């Protein structure tokens, strides 16, 4: 309310029918989309009420006040589900691995690319590096099958059967994280590279005069220069730690490794849509959102405690 | 700029990034080579990037008997229609929300921005679309629920904010109404940002898979068809068991040919558009 800026000459115009009539074209151009967003984004939010009700296909058609109220029964049912514990372990395991490996690889890629002197080659490398980002997960999964499946490219390179995608163990987490890294590394590096472009070149010159070598310059100038960006992106990824995409998990999984690829969103789909327990599925979704927001706030708090700017 | 003579480290970096390029491109070339290779020959060893026995039989089979013509058509239709509808609606909405004098400017903007942070989630959305609105297995399910991405709307709005306001004032004095100002004055100036969001929508539509999986399995897209082919194959490498004795086509050869067909549009547009993508990304990061 305060930050209205300088250009607000007519800032407090009263909402009157005459004014609305005057702006009828603007209203006609925006109202359909307002209705659209209320239907497609706000009504599903209202659907959160289902988490506290017993909703099955038979009771779904009933008006909300006639559905049986369940309190927190859906949540207890979810937490006591035989798959819940393993699902949480998988979700957090994959997330943590991915945040750690993904962040380090993207930063390393950006820092080294920034040092590359062959300008034309640098441009080509960067352009090609984010090509996989634009390829769908279905295609990536199809490609990954060639590379990691039994008898695939990796197996034939090392001359042994490694069972990379057919061992029922957290090994599959690593495979998924590597594939994700391969797909997103170049894209994630863009933001670091653009933040490096904002570092004062004078710092590098001064360091050079003081006798700092290249590694010292990377360590003491480039990395501290992109520190705020790293912190912001880390906070955001911690906030999204439970939102491991169902699409990727499902596509890269198979019956042999499913115990270790099931994540929260997929679990919510299995219980909510496949088994038609709408209340339970919604409860899992609500749990995911609420924990996500909590994690975001905690990460944000920690960042401000260690002296970084707050994100939200 | 820093020191002009190159050291060992520079050549090390050159080598390092050359390896990165190989690792990035090899899987794609491998897929292409397998799709163009004789299927029974592929069984021996799949690790190659130049077809050993060149053939187009895999593609012939896929287009004639593989049932990808309809999915291909659906994918193209949803990409074209979804992109057109998305761009027009996004630009129109963005213009109204760029008008600070619009009475509902603040309220409507808030309504849209909130949805970037909170959402109902998968189950409530599924129930709304399939059970309440009965859009399941209807082509509209590809267009309407994902019509506008709020992020794209903000991109366009901040672009319009950067345009000189005098043009709009002049048009207004000439008696143009707000709709005319939008499509005669503002839209022609918005070409760069419109190109950017059109690409976002097009790639999103072409690549999307979950919409078919959740809502419209009877209207399979190319991505979904590829998923079906993949889930039919076993854990073992699907090179074995020829499906058709006379044509000697394996499930893997089929999968590779479909993978190439689904990837080619992205690869073709990629060199022309990648600068817009990146432009959009950095534009978004400095927006506030």
């Amino acid at each position: 309310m305060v930050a209205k800026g300088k250009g607000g000459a007519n800032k407090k115009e009263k909402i009157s029918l005459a004014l609305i009539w005057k702006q009828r074209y603007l209203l006609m151009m925006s109202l359909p989309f307002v209705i659209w967003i209320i239907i497609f984004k706000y009504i599903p939010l209202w659907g959160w009420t289902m988490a506290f009700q017993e909703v099955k296909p038979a009771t779904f058609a009933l008006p909300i006040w006639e559905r049986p109220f369940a309190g927190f029964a859906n949540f207890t049912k979810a937490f006591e589900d035989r798959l819940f514990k393993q699902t949480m372990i998988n979700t957090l395991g994959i997330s943590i691995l991915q945040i750690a490996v993904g962040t380090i690889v993207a930063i390393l890629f950006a820092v080294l690319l920034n040092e590359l002197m062959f300008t034309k080659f640098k441009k080509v490398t960067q352009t090609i590096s984010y090509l996989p980002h634009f390829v769908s997960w279905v295609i990536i999964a199809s490609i990954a099958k060639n590379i990691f499946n039994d008898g695939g490219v990796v197996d034939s390179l090392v001359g042994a059967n490694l069972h990379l995608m057919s061992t029922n163990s957290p090994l599959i987490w690593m495979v998924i994280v590597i594939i994700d890294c391969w797909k997103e590394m170049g894209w994630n590096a863009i933001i670091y590279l653009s933040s490096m472009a904002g570092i004062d070149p004078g710092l590098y010159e001064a360091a050079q005069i003081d006798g700092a070598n290249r590694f010292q310059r990377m360590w003491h100038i480039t990395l501290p220069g992109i520190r705020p960006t790293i912190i912001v992106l880390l906070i955001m990824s911690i906030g999204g730690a439970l939102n491991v995409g169902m699409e990727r998990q499902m596509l890269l999984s198979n019956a042999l490794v499913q115990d270790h690829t099931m994540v929260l969103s997929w679990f919510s789909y299995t219980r909510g849509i496949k088994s038609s327990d709408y209340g339970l599925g919604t409860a899992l979704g609500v749990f995911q959102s609420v924990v996500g927001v909590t994690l975001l706030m905690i990460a944000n708090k920690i960042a401000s405690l260690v002296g970084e700017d707050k994100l939200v | 700029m820093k020191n002009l003579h190159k050291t060992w480290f520079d050549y090390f970096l050159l080598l390092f990034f050359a390896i990165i390029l190989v690792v990035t491109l090899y899987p794609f070339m491998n897929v292409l080579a397998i799709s163009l290779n004789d299927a029974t020959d592929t069984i021996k060893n799949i690790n190659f990037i130049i077809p050993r026995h060149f053939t187009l039989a895999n593609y012939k089979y896929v287009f004639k008997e593989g049932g990808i013509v309809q999915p291909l058509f659906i994918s193209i239709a949803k990409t074209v229609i979804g992109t057109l509808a998305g761009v027009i609606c996004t630009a129109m909405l963005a213009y109204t929300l760029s008008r600070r004098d619009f009475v509902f400017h603040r309220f409507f903007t808030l309504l849209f921005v909130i949805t970037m942070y909170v959402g109902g989630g998968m189950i409530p959305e599924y129930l709304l679309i399939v059970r309440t609105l009965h859009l399941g297995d209807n082509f509209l399910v590809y267009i309407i629920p994902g019509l506008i991405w709020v992020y794209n709307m903000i991109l366009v709005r901040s672009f319009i904010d950067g345009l000189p306001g005098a043009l709009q004032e002049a048009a207004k004095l000439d008696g143009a109404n707000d709709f005319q100002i939008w499509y005669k004055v503002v839209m022609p100036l918005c070409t760069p940002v419109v190109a950017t969001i059109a690409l976002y929508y097009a790639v999103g539509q072409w690549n999307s898979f979950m919409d078919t999986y959740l809502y419209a399995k009877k209207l399979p897209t190319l991505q979904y068809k590829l998923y079906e082919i993949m889930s039919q194959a076993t854990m073992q490498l699907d090179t074995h068991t020829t499906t058709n004795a006379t044509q000697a086509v394996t499930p893997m050869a089929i999968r590779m040919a479909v993978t190439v067909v689904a990837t080619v549009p992205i690869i073709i547009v990629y060199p022309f558009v990648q600068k817009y993508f990146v432009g959009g990304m950095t534009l978004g990061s400095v927006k506030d």
Side-chain angles (χ1 to χ4, degrees):
Chain A
M1 292 290 172
V2 194
K4 182 74 194 184
K6 43 214 173 314
N10 50 350
K11 60 175 172 187
K12 274 282 179 272
E13 258 189 289
K14 283 266 161 52
I15 298 179
S16 63
L17 282 177
L19 185 62
I20 292 175
W21 175 248
K22 207 178 112 198
Q23 297 182 335
R24 61 193 180 279
Y25 285 98
L26 289 178
L27 200 58
M28 283 188 308
M29 288 162 72
S30 54
L31 201 56
F33 308 117
V34 169
I35 295 167
W36 169 84
I37 203 158
I38 288 170
I39 293 174
F40 286 98
K41 302 289 173 199
Y42 285 93
I43 290 180
L45 259 184
W46 173 245
W48 275 24
T49 51
M50 287 189 295
F52 305 97
Q53 295 174 319
E54 198 187 309
V55 196
K56 299 267 168 72
T59 53
F60 177 70
L62 294 174
I64 180 164
W65 56 87
E66 281 179 24
R67 290 178 193 153
F69 181 73
F72 284 92
N74 283 321
F75 290 92
T76 24
K77 203 168 149 194
F79 301 150
E80 283 163 7
D81 195 296
R82 70 190 163 82
L83 281 179
F84 182 77
K85 196 176 152 215
Q86 186 61 41
T87 302
M88 281 306 285
I89 293 173
N90 294 344
T91 312
L92 290 173
I94 292 174
S95 260
I96 292 168
L97 206 58
Q98 168 142 6
I99 292 171
V101 177
T103 308
I104 292 171
V105 167
I107 292 171
L108 199 67
F109 180 87
V111 170
L112 291 181
L113 193 70
N114 196 43
E115 290 292 320
L116 196 59
M117 297 281 216
F118 306 86
T119 7
K120 213 160 198 173
F121 180 71
K122 181 176 174 179
K123 223 171 188 165
V124 172
T125 309
Q126 215 203 337
T127 305
I128 291 177
S129 73
Y130 40 75
L131 170 67
H133 171 79
F134 295 104
V135 176
S136 73
W137 270 113
V138 186
I139 292 170
I140 298 288
S142 176
I143 295 175
K145 254 172 172 297
N146 292 3
I147 310 289
F148 294 109
N149 256 9
D150 298 356
V153 170
V154 172
D155 279 2
S156 90
L157 276 180
V158 299
N161 199 337
L162 298 174
H163 297 290
L164 289 169
M165 288 182 97
S166 56
T167 314
N168 196 12
S169 77
L171 175 69
I172 188 73
W173 299 353
M174 205 60 229
V175 176
I176 291 175
V177 167
I178 287 173
I179 295 170
D180 196 277
C181 244
W182 175 81
K183 187 181 192 297
E184 304 295 342
M185 171 180 69
W187 182 255
N188 291 339
I190 292 176
I191 200 107
Y192 295 118
L193 283 164
S194 70
S195 135
M196 279 173 207
I199 299 175
D200 178 12
L203 289 175
Y204 289 101
E205 280 158 30
Q208 202 168 1
I209 292 165
D210 289 346
N213 66 32
R214 258 170 110 175
F215 300 101
Q216 287 170 326
R217 274 176 274 154
M218 277 187 246
W219 186 256
H220 292 290
I221 299 174
T222 311
L223 280 178
I226 61 170
R227 196 175 121 117
T229 313
I230 297 175
I231 303 272
V232 166
L233 292 185
L234 266 181
I235 293 176
M236 293 204 301
S237 51
I238 289 168
L242 291 193
N243 306 341
V244 180
M246 164 186 167
E247 180 178 2
R248 181 191 71 182
Q249 294 298 119
M250 201 174 75
L251 290 167
L252 292 177
S253 180
N254 58 57
L256 286 180
V257 297
Q258 205 165 2
D259 291 350
H260 293 277
T261 50
M262 176 66 78
V263 288
L264 214 48
S265 53
W266 191 6
F267 185 51
S268 157
Y269 167 83
T270 319
R271 290 290 180 266
I273 297 178
K274 265 197 168 161
S275 325
S276 296
D277 192 338
Y278 303 149
L280 179 57
T282 311
L284 283 163
V286 170
F287 169 73
Q288 186 177 339
S289 304
V290 170
V291 175
V293 171
T294 316
L295 285 178
L296 185 70
M297 296 224 202
I298 293 171
N300 201 33
K301 186 81 193 166
I302 292 172
S304 71
L305 284 182
V306 297
E308 287 297 330
D309 287 337
K310 270 198 175 181
L311 176 68
V312 280
Chain B
M1 42 176 202
K2 288 163 219 163
N3 45 351
L4 288 169
H5 64 275
K6 297 187 167 65
T7 61
W8 64 270
F9 186 63
D10 290 296
Y11 293 98
F12 166 77
L13 284 180
L14 189 66
L15 182 70
F16 177 77
F17 281 104
I19 294 170
I20 297 262
L21 281 192
V22 170
V23 171
T24 308
L25 291 177
Y26 187 91
F28 289 105
M29 289 158 77
N30 178 241
V31 169
L32 183 66
I34 297 175
S35 77
L36 290 169
N37 196 47
D38 181 59
T40 42
D41 177 74
T42 303
I43 296 170
K44 283 182 239 156
N45 182 350
I46 70 153
N47 190 2
F48 58 95
I49 54 168
I50 294 159
R52 291 182 299 232
H53 288 271
F54 182 84
T55 174
L56 289 175
N58 303 326
Y59 288 95
K60 263 186 209 147
Y61 178 84
V62 157
F63 278 99
K64 270 194 183 149
E65 299 165 56
I68 70 156
V69 177
Q70 194 215 6
L72 183 61
F73 181 75
I74 293 174
S75 276
I76 294 173
K78 102 193 238 285
T79 303
V80 172
I81 298 170
T83 305
L84 274 177
V87 166
I88 293 169
C89 296
T90 306
M92 190 144 61
L93 176 70
Y95 171 66
T96 64
L97 298 186
S98 78
R99 286 278 300 265
R100 299 295 189 272
D101 58 326
F102 181 30
V103 267
F104 300 115
H105 160 255
R106 194 178 285 271
F107 174 57
F108 285 1
T109 307
L110 192 67
L111 216 51
F112 280 89
V113 170
I114 287 175
T115 65
M116 292 177 86
Y117 301 98
V118 287
M122 184 183 355
I123 313 290
E125 279 177 23
Y126 170 86
L127 291 173
L128 170 76
I129 289 168
V130 175
R131 295 289 307 259
T132 309
L133 300 174
H134 301 287
L135 281 174
D137 291 318
N138 182 330
F139 184 75
L140 288 177
V141 83
Y142 288 137
I143 310 299
I144 295 177
L147 183 68
I148 293 175
W149 300 358
V150 177
Y151 178 80
N152 283 353
M153 190 275 287
I154 289 172
L155 280 188
V156 180
R157 201 194 67 170
S158 41
F159 187 87
I160 296 175
D161 285 343
L163 296 173
L167 292 165
Q168 289 189 40
E169 293 299 327
K172 198 173 254 173
L173 289 177
D174 287 344
N177 65 40
D178 290 323
F179 182 73
Q180 289 166 328
I181 295 177
W182 170 64
Y183 85 95
K184 283 188 178 153
V185 181
V186 175
M187 275 304 268
L189 295 170
C190 281
T191 325
V193 75
V194 162
T196 307
I197 65 160
L199 294 163
Y200 279 133
Y201 281 127
V203 170
Q205 281 282 2
W206 181 264
N207 281 346
S208 72
F209 158 78
M210 286 309 281
D211 48 1
T212 317
Y213 185 79
L214 289 175
Y215 310 127
K217 284 185 178 147
K218 285 183 188 144
L219 292 174
T221 55
L222 208 50
Q223 308 285 341
Y224 186 74
K225 185 75 192 168
L226 180 55
Y227 163 74
E228 271 190 344
I229 292 171
M230 276 201 298
S231 49
Q232 280 158 11
T234 59
M235 273 78 262
Q236 297 303 313
L237 204 60
D238 44 352
T239 39
H240 309 284
T241 62
T242 37
T243 47
N244 187 321
T246 51
Q247 279 176 310
V249 174
T250 59
M252 181 189 221
I254 296 172
R255 182 162 65 81
M256 289 298 96
V258 177
T259 305
V260 171
V261 175
T263 316
V264 155
I266 299 282
I267 306 265
I268 290 178
V269 296
Y270 186 68
F272 304 102
V273 305
Q274 52 90 12
K275 64 170 183 203
Y276 287 112
F277 277 125
V278 178
M281 183 166 171
T282 38
L283 195 68
S285 63
V286 295
K287 69 176 186 288
D288 38 18

